[in-house]
């Protein structure tokens, strides 16, 4: 990194750490960067204040039930319609559903982190699709991506195919969006809604992490049922930006992901020119350390659905297109209980990643920046070392606070891209972690 880049990152970090936010999940926000820019009492006045253009951005169909309806009104220097034609450009290592490059694999799979990126890689160039499911033209399914970057983006990106849940593992990010600026560090997640233009700037020497691209219904908070009115991810901990705009005349490259392909156009202005906005279809961040972990205070290990941060529901109640689940620091106090995650076969498919530290079901081999895939019905659970240790452990209260792992759990199997199936960083002997699980069965006669 040269001196100018280091200086720019220092400035970006100062900006990121000084941000103010709006708080709440799914509520109606309103923000204006210039007093008087937001119309009062109507969305589309004959002439919007300050000579701005009024524009609606829909996140759901106009007619979806009010409880799920997402849309925002943007007041901008130029309408989004003011752009030249897009031309198809290369997709890099980004792939999109339907995934047909390989056959769905029933094996348990695990990867080391992506190799270090070459200098000059920005967030978009560094996106690397592991796999996914569904069909983007049907707005079903999801994709698992990883990213690594050495450079901030100069260009602007938007994804018409789905919302992007960004999970940083290394390096802080400053996200400049149409709605304003957001700051995400490792341990936070950031969500960019479908179609929202944004740019990723790096706050550290490099950046690395995971992305869930959700083609389906926007993520929402899970119902709490008997848990009550509070708990898990609390709504007020979700942070939305305040309005901030770029008044830039001059060429700006805008890349649009549409039905699996990247399309590029050079605008004569920045599209991050929204001076005021209101609505509930907004980007946001969430600090995973604020997750209120609920668990057993008697015996047994609750199903990991208890750790759901966000869920994208499907047409079947309780059956998510994709859930985002976090394994956050927590106390284990169960009596006469095997405390690490149990052995299981799941009808859902699980991609797991590690943000920091270690995971309590795997003694080694599952490292920050790496990931594992356990497709539907694949048998998995603790490795032998963990089984032996946990079976013999003294069951005093135990704090699990040496790691932060997460899961993208989806109703459909994840089919790999060709480059994920052939990757040098795919571990060849993952099955070995379950080798040597001895028989202990001693029938009584
Ligand atoms: Fe599992």
């Amino acid at each position: 990194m040269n001196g100018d880049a280091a200086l720019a990152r220092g400035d970006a970090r100062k900006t990121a750490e000084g941000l103010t936010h709006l708080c709440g999940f799914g509520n109606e926000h309103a923000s204006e960067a210039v007093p008087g820019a937001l119309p009062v009492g109507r969305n589309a006045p004959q002439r919007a204040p300050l000579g701005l253009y009024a524009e609606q951005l829909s996140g759901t169909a106009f007619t979806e039930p009010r409880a799920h309806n997402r849309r925002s009104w943007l007041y901008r220097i130029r309408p989004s319609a003011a752009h030249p034609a897009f031309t198809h450009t290369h997709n890099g290592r980004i792939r999109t559903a339907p995934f047909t490059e390989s056959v769905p694999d029933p094996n348990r799979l695990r990867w080391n982190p992506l190799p270090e990126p070459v200098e000059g890689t920005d967030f978009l160039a560094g996106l690397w699709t592991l796999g996914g499911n569904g069909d983007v033209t049907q707005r079903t399914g999801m994709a698992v991506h990883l990213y690594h970057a050495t450079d901030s983006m100069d260009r602007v990106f938007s994804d018409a195919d789905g919302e992007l849940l960004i999970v940083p593992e290394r390096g802080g990010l400053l996200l400049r969006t149409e709605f304003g600026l957001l700051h995400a560090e490792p341990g936070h997640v950031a969500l960019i809604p479908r179609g929202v233009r944004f740019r990723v700037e790096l706050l550290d020497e490099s950046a690395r992490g995971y992305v869930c691209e959700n083609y389906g219904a926007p993520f929402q908070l899970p119902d709490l049922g008997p848990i009550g009115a509070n708990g898990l991810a609390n709504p007020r901990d979700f942070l939305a930006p305040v309005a901030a705009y770029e008044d830039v005349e001059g060429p700006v490259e805008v890349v649009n992901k549409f039905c699996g392909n990247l399309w590029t156009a050079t605008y004569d202005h920045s599209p991050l020119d929204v001076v005021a906005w209101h609505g509930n279809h907004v980007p946001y961040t969430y600090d995973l350390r604020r997750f209120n972990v609920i668990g057993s205070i008697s015996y047994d290990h609750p199903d990991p659905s208890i750790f759901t941060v966000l869920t994208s529901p499907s047409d079947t109640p309780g059956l998510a297109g994709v859930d985002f689940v976090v394994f956050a620091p927590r106390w284990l106090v169960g009596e006469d209980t095997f405390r690490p995650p149990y052995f299981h076969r799941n009808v859902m498919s699980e991609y797991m990643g590690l943000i920091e530290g270690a995971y309590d079901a795997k003694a080694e081999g599952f490292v920050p920046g790496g990931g594992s895939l356990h497709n539907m019905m694949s048998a998995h659970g603790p490795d032998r070392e963990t089984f032996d240790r946990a079976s013999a452990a003294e069951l005093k209260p135990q704090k699990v606070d040496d790691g932060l792992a997460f899961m993208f759990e989806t109703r459909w199997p994840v089919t790999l891209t060709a480059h994920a199936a052939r990757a040098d960083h795919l571990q060849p002997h993952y099955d070995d972690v379950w080798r040597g699980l001895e028989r202990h069965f001693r029938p009584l006669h």
Side-chain angles (χ1 to χ4, degrees), residues 87-397:
T87 55
H88 186 204
T89 184
H90 58 91
N91 295 332
R93 289 304 180 106
I94 298 173
R95 300 291 182 270
T96 301
F99 288 89
T100 57
E101 291 181 350
S102 67
V103 294
D105 195 331
N107 283 301
R108 291 95 35 118
L109 301 169
R110 194 163 70 178
W111 291 262
N112 290 323
L114 286 179
E116 295 301 325
V118 297
E119 280 298 316
T121 302
D122 69 9
F123 173 83
L124 182 54
L127 272 176
W128 186 94
T129 307
L130 181 131
N133 53 40
D135 184 336
V136 73
T137 64
Q138 304 298 309
R139 300 223 309 261
T140 59
M142 52 84 79
V144 177
H145 309 276
L146 291 99
Y147 71 88
H148 56 185
T150 63
D151 277 30
S152 295
M153 289 168 66
D154 290 321
R155 50 193 178 164
V156 171
F157 180 47
S158 70
D159 187 353
D161 292 343
E163 60 186 358
L164 298 172
L165 181 70
I166 303 170
V167 185
E169 177 264 324
R170 177 201 286 177
L173 305 177
L174 177 66
L175 302 160
R176 293 188 188 269
T177 79
E178 288 180 88
F179 291 77
L181 280 60
L182 287 171
H183 174 202
E185 294 286 339
H188 302 171
V189 293
L191 185 124
I192 304 292
R194 185 191 298 270
V196 169
R197 270 78 66 94
F198 69 106
R199 184 192 299 127
V200 178
E201 295 181 11
L202 272 51
L203 303 181
D204 298 295
E205 190 140 348
S206 64
R208 196 170 73 178
Y210 309 83
V211 178
C212 176
E213 184 182 20
N214 173 23
Y215 310 132
F219 276 119
Q220 61 187 55
L221 296 176
D223 285 330
L224 293 178
I227 292 172
N230 306 285
L232 309 188
N234 287 307
R236 76 184 179 109
D237 293 325
F238 288 81
L239 304 179
V242 296
Y245 64 99
E246 291 181 348
D247 188 357
V248 171
E249 303 282 321
V252 176
E253 186 190 1
V254 178
V255 179
N256 176 16
K257 181 174 185 283
F258 183 81
C259 291
N261 291 309
L262 298 188
W263 295 74
T264 181
T266 303
Y267 287 29
D268 61 6
H269 65 282
S270 170
L272 307 182
D273 63 350
V274 176
V275 181
W277 59 267
H278 77 87
N280 62 357
H281 184 55
V282 300
Y284 55 81
T285 58
Y286 175 72
D287 182 349
L288 296 169
R289 293 179 186 89
R290 296 206 178 173
F291 187 78
N292 176 228
V293 184
I294 307 283
S296 171
I297 51 172
S298 56
Y299 62 87
D300 276 356
H301 184 292
D303 296 324
S305 46
I306 197 72
F307 303 143
T308 302
V309 182
L310 293 164
T311 182
S312 168
S314 71
D315 296 340
T316 305
L319 179 57
V322 56
D323 282 334
F324 174 64
V325 175
V326 69
F327 300 87
R330 61 203 180 277
W331 281 94
L332 302 180
V333 298
E335 296 179 313
D336 185 20
T337 292
F338 182 80
R339 288 179 175 175
Y342 43 62
F343 290 107
H344 58 288
R345 290 173 293 162
N346 190 353
V347 71
M348 305 283 275
S349 293
E350 309 174 3
Y351 175 81
M352 280 196 66
L354 188 61
I355 299 164
E356 62 180 36
Y359 175 60
D360 57 337
K362 295 288 184 296
E364 57 187 44
F366 181 54
V367 297
S372 67
L373 176 64
H374 302 143
N375 262 331
M376 62 175 179
M377 291 298 135
S378 79
H380 59 284
D383 59 23
R384 183 200 160 160
E385 191 180 334
T386 303
F387 178 81
D388 289 347
R389 190 182 61 237
S391 301
E394 185 192 348
L395 293 183
K396 56 188 181 195

